Each structure stands twice: as structure tokens, then as C-alpha cells.
């Protein structure tokens, strides 16, 4: 059979369409590697190249995050009109399978490893089932190396995205990772990671883990093994890494140029209500200084719109970021992703007013906030991006931290563009009135 793996285009404005931030969807090279060699496979990322709807294929397999769902359904419907079978998988179809099933011949719920080969067998025998569910979390030993050779050669910042762990022991109200991957931190053997690293071209790697330091003993073993490769890598990690000097030292030595850290909020009330107990806001300042002192830059993630957030949250957050010299930051609007506990609560409270999934991209307000208006929340996001990515702020932060200033200058100039994208006439960003 001929199988086309497809990632739908995400709607603008998207930070991720800025060249410095373009990463390939790792799910597709992973699925291609899981496909038995008897089948012909190809990958199209619609963010890089258009989809050929006329090609002769037996199966279109799409990976879907919530904000891409409307586009994914359009693509699926078009292929199905021509009689091409369509399978949908990934976070969104797994969390709302009944909806996805209206646009697909089969929906895969959960991780593909345990069901993909049997789905292909069923298709070959013309016995495709509507739903395939991964009942047990697959073992992560000896996973095949993702087929990065199938990815477009140009257009990405790097194709070296590698996954080391799955699952998260926390269960933040706004997040779907624990619902999807479970509350156990599952780790790939370090030896397998090293075999994969050896196949990569270039020295830049993005570990797509939710918390690469979630198990400190494992992380230390991994960092020691990575050190000889002289990589420059980034990943996501929780702020409590600041408590472990040995971890920070090994992390920096292994080539970590920056950690994406979910601070989420400066308000402990908001952190507590979201269930992010690992974050203690009163220690943030000291934690940042400690991580910086080990030469690790920080890309901080902050969320606006919690029930404890009033209009003052924007200035407080911008001041904090600038004062503490965070090298980069991403600001998001609290978003009730379907399947999350937040979605169910806001639904019960009758506060979700927009169900256009393309707006569930964390820069649009889709629910009624408690202590400010929708417009104030929307405009506050833009205002914060404007403050934090002003030329003055960029220089203050980068000269203050001195961790990889040239690299982060590039990142900051990329992130500066999101300010313009958010107000562009073609933007999907909801129009708002200025904050007073
Ligand atoms: C790396 C990453 C990114 C990268 C790369 C994205 C990309 N091109 O794929 C970047 C940084 C660009 C990104 C952007 C965004 N991301 Co993101 N991202 C991730 C992250 C950390 C890892 C994803 C990954 O590569 N996993 C490794 C692969 C191997 O796993 P996988 O994709 O889950 O695939 C497995 C299964 O899902 C399944 N599967 C997946 N697809 C398919 C398809 C078929 C046909 C089948 C059978 C199976 C299948 O099988 C695979 C193997 O087991 C996840 C967190 C997470 N733990 O998943 C968040 C995550 C996917 N992102 C999320 C979000 C919300 C976003 C943004 C919308 C917002 C943001 N974070 O700023 C933007 C999208 C921008 C936009 N405008 O739309 C959410 C998605 C929630 C949802 N309900 O969809 C997640 C889960 C984070 C979270 N904490 O909630 N992201
Ligand atoms: S936000 Fe981060 S810490 Fe919280 S459940 Fe999701 S992945 Fe885990």
C-alpha cells in the first residue's frame, strides 16, 4: 500500500510558522518507522509544502492537535471524497474520538506503537475498524528510529527533535498530557537515545519532552551520556530542577543552551487552583538566578486568564520577566483544551463561548474570564508581548543574563514578530479593545 502521512497547516498567527521556531511533527517520522517495509511511505507537512490531493495513495494518515482539527477534517473529507481511506490520530482525535470519527475511516486513540501494525493488516484485508484504542501504554524500549529521512530537507529550524520520556506525574487542570500519556513518567533506555543521537546530522537537538528532568536520576545518567557528543540542545523542564546542583551542572555540561520552563503564573493561588503544585512562586526569583548561574538560559512560559487573574497580571508578569532577565518568554491565554479538566469545569460553569477549534491555539480567548473582560484578556496578551519584546527589554534581558546572547537575540527577533502577527488583518486573533 502507499501511505501518505500528513500534518495539517496551522492557522496564523502562529509563532511556530516563524522560521526560527519551525519543528517537524515527530509523530509522522515515528509512524513511518513503525510501518512494515512492504508499504511505501511519504510525509507531507502542510506548513512546509502543499498537499497533493490527486496522488494515487491507499491511505492518508493525519496527526492532529486541537487547533489544526478544522483543517485536518477538510483534508480528510477531500481524500475520502476520492475514495482514499483516512486515519486520524494524535492528541485531538484521541480526546474527542466521536467527533474525529465523522471525518475518518478509522481513529486511533492514544500512542500508535501498539496498534499501528494491526490497523495496517486490517486495512489490507479490507477489515478496517472505526476505532483503535491503545489499551496499555506501550513499552519504550527499542523503539524504531524515526524516519527523519522522509522529512522535507528545507524549511525547519532543525529536524532533530527527539523524545526521551512520555507521561507526567502531575495533572495540571489545563493540560491533556496526563490524560493522554498517563501519570507515570516512562523513560526510554539511555542507550537507545544514544543510538538515535548517533544517526542525527548536526549538533542542534530539541528534546520534545514535557519534563526532561522529571526523574533526576535518569536525567543525570542521560546528561552524562550526552556530554561527549558536544550537542547544543533545548528541552522543557520543571522549575524544581533548581534544587539540584549536580543535575544543573551535568545538564549545562551536556550542552543545554536553554530550558523551556512553565512558570504559568506568579500567583500561588492560580498555581494551586491549576494543580501545578511543583511551582512555588515565592521561590521563582531565586530559582531563576540559580539556573542562570549554571549557564542555562530560560524560555519562560506564562498563562493568563486564571480565575485569580485581574488586569494587573500583565504588568506584573512583564515586569518580572524583564527584572529577572529571562532570555525568552512565551505568553498564552488559558485554553480549555477538550478532554482537560479545565474544559469540563468551564463547560459545567457555562463559560465556554467559542467552539471553533482553530482558536484553541493559546492566543485566542474562548471562555469567559472571571476578573476581567474577554477583550481585556485578549488585549493584555498583546500588550505583554509588546512590552517584553521591545528593543529596550530585549537588550536589558540579554545583557543582564549573558547566556548565549547571540542565539537568544535571534530567538527574540523571531518572537518580536508575533506582536505584528497578532494584529495583522489576516490574523485569526480575536479583535480587542486596548487595556486601560
Ligand atoms: C514538540 C511539541 C510542539 C512543537 C512541534 C509540533 C509539531 N510540529 O508536532 C511546537 C513547538 C511547534 C508545538 C506547537 C504547539 N503546540 Co505542541 N507540543 C509538543 C510536545 C511537547 C511534544 C509533541 C511530540 O513531538 N511528541 C512526540 C511524538 C512521537 O508523540 P505524539 O505527537 O504524541 O505522537 C504519538 C501519538 O500521539 C500518536 N499519534 C500522533 N499522531 C498520530 C497520527 C496517526 C495517524 C496515528 C495512528 C497516531 C498518531 O502516535 C504517536 C506515537 O506514539 C507536546 C506535548 C506532548 N507530550 O505531546 C505538545 C502539545 C502537542 N502541543 C500542544 C499545543 C497546545 C501546541 C500549540 C497549539 C500551542 C503552544 N504550545 O504554543 C502549538 C501549535 C501552534 C498552532 N498555532 O497551532 C498541546 C496539544 C493539546 C491538544 N489537545 O492538541 C500539547 C499536548 C502540549 C500540552 N501540554 O497540552 N508543539
Ligand atoms: S502542564 Fe506540564 S507539569 Fe502540568 S500536567 Fe502538563 S506536562 Fe505535566
Amino acid at each position: 500500500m502507499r501511505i501518505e502521512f500528513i500534518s495539517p497547516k496551522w492557522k496564523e498567527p502562529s509563532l511556530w510558522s516563524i522560521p526560527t521556531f519551525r519543528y517537524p511533527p515527530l509523530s509522522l517520522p515515528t509512524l513511518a518507522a513503525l510501518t512494515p517495509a512492504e508499504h511505501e511511505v511519504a510525509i507531507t507537512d502542510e506548513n512546509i509544502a502543499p498537499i497533493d490531493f490527486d496522488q494515487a495513495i491507499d491511505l492518508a494518515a493525519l496527526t492532529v492537535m486541537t487547533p489544526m482539527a478544522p483543517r485536518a477534517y477538510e483534508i480528510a473529507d477531500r481524500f475520502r471524497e476520492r475514495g482514499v481511506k483516512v486515519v486520524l490520530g494524535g492528541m485531538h482525535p484521541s480526546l474527542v474520538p466521536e467527533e474525529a470519527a465523522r471525518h475518518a475511516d478509522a481513529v486511533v486513540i492514544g500512542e500508535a506503537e501498539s496498534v499501528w501494525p494491526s490497523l495496517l493488516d486490517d486495512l489490507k484485508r479490507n477489515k478496517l475498524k472505526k476505532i483503535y484504542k491503545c489499551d496499555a501504554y506501550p513499552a519504550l524500549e527499542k523503539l524504531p528510529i524515526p524516519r527523519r529521512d522522509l522529512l522535507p530537507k528545507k524549511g525547519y529550524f532543525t529536524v532533530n527533535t527527539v523524545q526521551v520520556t512520555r507521561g507526567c506525574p502531575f495533572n495540571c487542570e489545563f493540560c491533556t498530557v496526563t490524560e493522554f500519556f498517563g501519570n507515570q513518567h516512562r523513560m526510554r533506555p539511555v542507550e537507545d537515545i544514544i543510538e538515535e543521537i548517533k544517526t542525527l546530522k548536526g549538533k542542534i537537538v530539541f528534546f520534545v519532552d514535557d519534563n526532561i528532568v522529571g526523574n533526576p536520576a535518569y536525567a543525570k545518567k542521560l546528561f552524562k551520556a550526552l556530554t561527549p557528543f558536544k550537542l547544543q540542545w533545548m528541552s522543557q523542564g520543571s522549575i524544581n530542577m533548581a534544587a539540584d546542583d549536580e543535575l544543573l551542572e551535568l545538564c549545562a555540561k551536556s550542552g543545554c543552551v536553554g530550558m523551556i520552563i512553565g512558570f504559568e503564573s506568579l500567583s500561588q493561588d492560580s498555581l494551586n487552583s491549576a494543580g501545578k503544585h511543583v511551582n512555588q512562586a515565592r521561590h521563582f526569583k531565586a530559582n531563576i538566578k540559580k539556573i542562570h548561574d549554571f549557564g542555562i538560559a530560560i524560555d519562560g512560559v506564562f498563562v493568563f486568564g486564571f480565575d485569580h487573574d485581574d488586569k494587573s497580571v500583565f504588568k506584573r508578569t512583564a515586569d518580572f520577566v524583564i527584572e529577572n532577565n529571562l532570555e525568552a518568554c512565551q505568553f498564552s491565554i488559558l485554553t480549555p483544551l477538550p478532554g482537560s479538566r479545565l474544559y469540563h469545569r468551564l463547560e459545567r460553569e457555562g463559560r465556554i463561548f467559542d467552539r471553533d477549534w482553530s482558536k484553541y491555539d493559546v492566543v485566542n480567548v474562548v471562555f469567559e474570564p472571571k476578573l476581567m473582560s474577554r477583550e481585556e484578556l485578549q488585549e493584555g496578551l498583546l500588550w505583554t508581548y509588546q512590552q517584553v519584546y521591545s528593543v529596550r527589554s530585549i537588550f536589558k534581558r540579554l545583557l543582564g543574563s549573558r547566556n548565549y546572547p547571540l542565539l537568544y537575540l535571534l530567538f527574540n527577533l523571531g518572537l518580536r514578530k508575533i506582536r505584528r502577527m497578532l494584529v495583522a488583518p489576516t490574523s485569526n486573533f480575536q479583535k480587542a479593545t486596548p487595556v486601560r
Side-chain angles (χ1 to χ4, degrees):
M1 292 187 296
R2 289 197 62 200
I3 306 169
E4 182 78 27
F5 294 103
I6 299 172
S7 174
K9 191 171 170 55
W10 35 59
K11 221 164 185 166
E12 305 293 338
S14 170
L15 180 60
W16 314 111
S17 55
I18 298 169
T20 345
F21 298 103
R22 273 201 210 144
Y23 301 105
L26 183 56
S27 52
L28 301 187
T30 302
L31 282 158
L34 293 170
T35 304
E38 64 183 280
H39 304 295
E40 230 181 279
V41 288
I43 291 180
T44 299
D45 178 353
E46 207 192 0
N47 296 290
I48 304 288
I51 297 168
D52 177 1
F53 284 99
D54 298 320
Q55 60 185 315
I57 53 170
D58 301 290
L59 177 66
L62 279 77
T63 186
V64 191
M65 277 194 228
T66 297
M68 301 160 165
R71 177 62 189 152
Y73 297 157
E74 278 171 19
I75 298 169
D77 295 348
R78 247 179 103 174
F79 274 118
R80 293 179 83 209
E81 273 164 26
R82 279 190 40 219
V84 174
K85 297 277 186 229
V86 171
V87 178
L88 298 177
M91 202 51 107
H92 188 77
S94 299
L95 296 169
V96 285
E98 300 81 17
E99 174 193 290
R102 292 200 286 274
H103 303 270
D105 297 285
V107 172
V108 173
I109 302 177
E111 299 168 49
E113 281 76 3
S114 44
V115 295
W116 186 242
S118 58
L119 181 150
L120 292 178
D121 270 352
D122 289 352
L123 178 60
K124 236 168 54 181
R125 292 183 291 117
N126 214 9
K127 293 233 159 75
L128 202 58
K129 295 195 276 279
K130 197 73 183 178
I131 300 281
Y132 289 81
K133 190 166 191 290
C134 128
D135 286 322
Y137 296 111
L140 300 186
E141 284 83 30
K142 295 268 170 255
L143 292 181
I145 293 180
R147 294 280 312 272
R148 297 185 180 85
D149 57 302
L150 298 173
L151 289 167
K153 300 285 168 278
K154 287 198 178 131
Y156 295 120
F157 179 62
T158 176
V159 294
N160 296 343
T161 54
V162 176
Q163 191 178 44
V164 174
T165 60
R166 290 184 189 171
C168 176
F170 308 116
N171 190 6
C172 302
E173 193 191 27
F174 53 82
C175 181
T176 49
V177 164
T178 308
E179 173 73 20
F180 186 88
F181 290 105
N183 62 1
Q184 299 284 322
H185 208 212
R186 284 173 290 144
M187 292 149 282
R188 291 176 61 199
V190 169
E191 304 71 45
D192 291 7
I193 313 294
I194 296 307
E195 285 314 305
E196 188 167 335
I197 295 288
K198 285 182 188 161
T199 67
L200 303 180
K201 298 194 178 79
K203 295 285 178 190
I204 295 175
V205 177
F206 177 29
F207 290 108
V208 297
D209 295 75
D210 293 301
N211 188 1
I212 200 164
V213 291
N215 179 323
Y218 171 82
K220 287 176 193 174
K221 189 173 169 205
L222 174 71
F223 297 157
K224 279 184 196 158
L226 289 177
T227 304
F229 292 91
K230 300 196 184 324
L231 302 175
Q232 290 196 310
W233 63 265
M234 278 195 82
S235 188
Q236 308 190 103
S238 50
I239 187 77
N240 58 341
M241 76 180 95
D244 189 334
D245 285 20
E246 188 194 5
L247 180 71
L248 290 175
E249 194 178 334
L250 290 170
C251 180
K253 257 196 185 157
S254 68
C256 176
V257 296
M259 276 285 183
I260 302 171
I261 297 180
F263 292 90
E264 325 298 2
S265 179
L266 299 176
S267 147
Q268 195 60 45
D269 286 339
S270 296
L271 291 169
N272 291 346
S273 62
K276 188 123 186 183
H277 303 293
V278 63
N279 282 15
Q280 293 299 314
R282 65 184 189 287
H283 297 315
F284 280 171
K285 200 177 159 80
N287 294 156
I288 293 169
K289 179 160 185 333
K290 181 82 163 291
I291 296 170
H292 275 166
D293 287 348
F294 277 86
I296 299 169
I298 299 175
D299 179 351
V301 179
F302 292 88
V303 178
F304 299 135
F306 290 109
D307 283 356
H308 296 279
D309 286 348
D310 60 21
K311 280 194 306 184
S312 66
V313 70
F314 307 111
K315 180 161 186 337
R316 227 176 327 121
T317 309
D319 288 351
F320 177 87
V321 165
I322 297 170
E323 189 190 317
N324 289 285
N325 300 323
L326 292 189
E327 288 83 349
C329 265
Q330 296 159 50
F331 304 103
S332 316
I333 284 176
L334 185 68
T335 302
L337 289 163
S340 64
R341 289 188 294 124
L342 178 68
Y343 181 88
H344 296 302
R345 178 168 68 81
L346 293 180
E347 177 85 321
R348 275 195 313 276
E349 294 172 4
R351 291 167 63 191
I352 299 179
F353 64 81
D354 196 332
R355 287 171 208 270
D356 171 357
W357 297 138
S358 76
K359 297 219 168 76
Y360 283 57
D361 57 357
V362 309
V363 294
N364 280 294
V365 181
V366 296
F367 75 103
E368 207 62 67
K370 215 163 204 171
L371 300 181
M372 61 183 126
S373 68
R374 304 171 186 182
E375 292 79 12
E376 285 165 341
L377 176 53
Q378 193 70 77
E379 188 60 28
L381 176 79
L382 178 60
W383 183 88
T384 314
Y385 265 112
Q386 282 167 337
Q387 301 307 304
V388 170
Y389 289 100
S390 69
V391 173
R392 200 190 159 110
S393 157
I394 293 176
F395 279 96
K396 149 76 178 78
R397 291 181 289 105
L398 297 190
L399 291 174
S401 99
R402 296 184 185 270
N403 286 320
Y404 307 98
L406 283 178
L407 177 71
Y408 280 91
L409 182 61
L410 198 72
F411 267 49
N412 274 264
L413 294 178
L415 279 151
R416 235 176 106 76
K417 290 195 184 141
I418 192 124
R419 307 176 328 154
R420 272 200 304 277
M421 292 167 90
L422 288 174
V423 289
T426 50
S427 166
N428 192 37
F429 186 66
Q430 321 240 13
K431 293 287 167 275
T433 49
V435 187
R436 268 166 269 278

